[in-house]
Each structure stands twice: as structure tokens, then as C-alpha cells.
Amino acid sequence: MLDWLISTIPLFKIVHIAALAIWCGGLLALPVMLARHDPNGTLDDYRIIRHATHTTYTLCVTPAAVIAVIAGTWLIFLREAFVPWLFAKLAFVALLVVAHAWIGHIVAKIAEQPGFHQPPRPIFPIFAVLVPIVAILTLVLAKPVLNGNVFPDWLLVPRNGQLPFEVPS
Ligand code: HEM
């Protein structure tokens, strides 16, 4: 039974990587698409681009994000990857999710206030997405040994007189 589960790791990894390629690619494309909502263009052009951003966000990017997270969570248990680099990676995944929600908020605002809501310049959401992606890829590909000793000793050891009680040595 366990061997059978272990043999599914490559499959989950393929699903994880395929889904996150769509997720991350979509998050990078959406800010550029959002910037093309030109209130001075024709109504038809506006409708087409609005429909495209809405479909991309709701039917491609968000489902891909859910699949990437589910497959990644399975991989944690299958690979028994309870290691510091993974927790650091998850912190950056949380940032990516915040950027995802921000882009979703812009998509919703453009739908609710067509022609009035001015999307931010694409460089800002692209930057918000690119920083966690680069950090995640660095962590997951380099798998650095983060043993928790990133602080100097003097920051980890309580000093005499700092606490209102005795610290056993
Ligand atoms: C909640 C979200 C996520 C979880 C729980 C998760 C978890 C994992 C786990 C456990 C692995 C297997 C690591 C190993 O085989 O040693 C993995 C592989 C990988 N993840 Fe994620 N991940 C998540 C999101 C992401 C995102 C957003 C990216 C990219 C931006 C990403 C990129 C990768 C890559 C490239 C691999 C393959 C690494 C390799 O095989 O060496 N993951 N992920």
C-alpha cells in the first residue's frame, strides 16, 4: 500500500508543476490584460477584454492555484518534506496568494465599475507576483539547509537582567 502511494509522487509532481505554470503564468499575464481595459475604446472591445480577464481569472488561474496547492500539500506528506526550506517556501506562497487576491480584486472592480475603475500600472502587480515566484523557485530548487541558526547567538540566549525572573542555564 505504502509503495503504491510512493509511486504516485512523479504524477503529483507533474500535476503540481503543470498547475503552477498555469497559475503563475496567468498571474503575470492578467496585469497586462487588465491594463488594456481602455474606457475610451469601443464598447465591444471593452466587453471582449473584460470577458477575457474574467474568464482567465475564474476558469484558469484560480482553479490552477487550487490544484497546485492540493497537489503540493499531498507532496509534503508523500515526500515527508517537513523541513525548514518548505516552511520558508510556504511563507512566500502566502505572499503569492495575497497577490492573487489583489489581482482578483482588480478584476472584480473593473466588472463592477466598467469604464470608471482605473487598474494599477501592470508593473506593480507583476512585481508583487514575481518576487514570491522567484523566492519560491529559489527555495524549492536549491533546497537550502536552513537550520534555524540564522540569528546570532546573542539574540537566541536570554541575557541577565532582561527578564524579571531567573533563567536556568
Ligand atoms: C501551498 C502551496 C505549495 C505547496 C504545499 C508545495 C509543496 C511542494 C512539495 C512538498 C514539493 C516536493 C519537494 C520535493 O520533492 O522535495 C514541491 C515541489 C515543487 N514545487 Fe511546490 N508547493 C506549493 C506551491 C508552489 C509554487 C507556488 C511554486 C512555484 C512558484 C512551486 C514550485 C515547485 C517546484 C518547481 C517543485 C519541484 C521541485 C523539485 O522536484 O526539485 N510550488 N512543492
Side-chain angles (χ1 to χ4, degrees):
M1 177 66 177
L2 203 63
D3 282 350
W4 178 83
L5 270 179
I6 299 294
S7 70
T8 61
I9 290 176
L11 183 73
F12 277 104
K13 225 175 229 191
I14 289 170
V15 172
H16 184 59
I17 291 172
L20 66 88
I22 297 171
W23 182 18
C24 298
L27 287 183
L28 290 172
L30 274 167
V32 183
M33 292 169 76
L34 285 165
R36 299 202 53 184
H37 287 71
D38 179 10
N40 301 319
T42 68
L43 209 61
D44 256 358
D45 283 348
Y46 194 91
R47 189 179 52 77
I48 289 168
I49 189 71
R50 202 198 69 71
H51 190 253
T53 44
H54 185 86
T55 311
T56 306
Y57 186 79
T58 54
L59 295 184
C60 296
V61 178
T62 303
V66 173
I67 293 170
V69 169
I70 292 174
T73 308
W74 268 106
L75 280 171
I76 295 180
F77 294 99
L78 292 175
R79 295 273 293 140
E80 297 185 12
F82 305 104
V83 278
W85 66 259
L86 182 91
F87 300 120
K89 170 183 162 167
L90 292 183
F92 285 104
V93 172
L95 275 186
L96 190 63
V97 170
V98 171
H100 181 116
W102 180 32
I103 291 172
H105 172 75
I106 305 167
V107 171
K109 277 278 173 217
I110 278 181
E112 286 164 6
Q113 306 164 355
F116 293 102
H117 185 74
Q118 190 62 40
R121 285 178 49 205
I123 187 76
F124 298 117
I126 286 179
F127 187 73
V129 167
L130 214 50
V131 168
I133 289 180
V134 171
I136 292 168
L137 289 178
T138 307
L139 284 166
V140 82
L141 296 177
K143 296 186 176 60
V145 182
L146 308 172
N147 54 12
N149 288 340
V150 284
F151 298 110
D153 282 349
W154 62 269
L155 262 182
L156 299 171
V157 180
R159 299 272 156 145
N160 263 348
Q162 285 178 327
L163 299 173
F165 49 85
E166 274 301 307
V167 179
S169 50

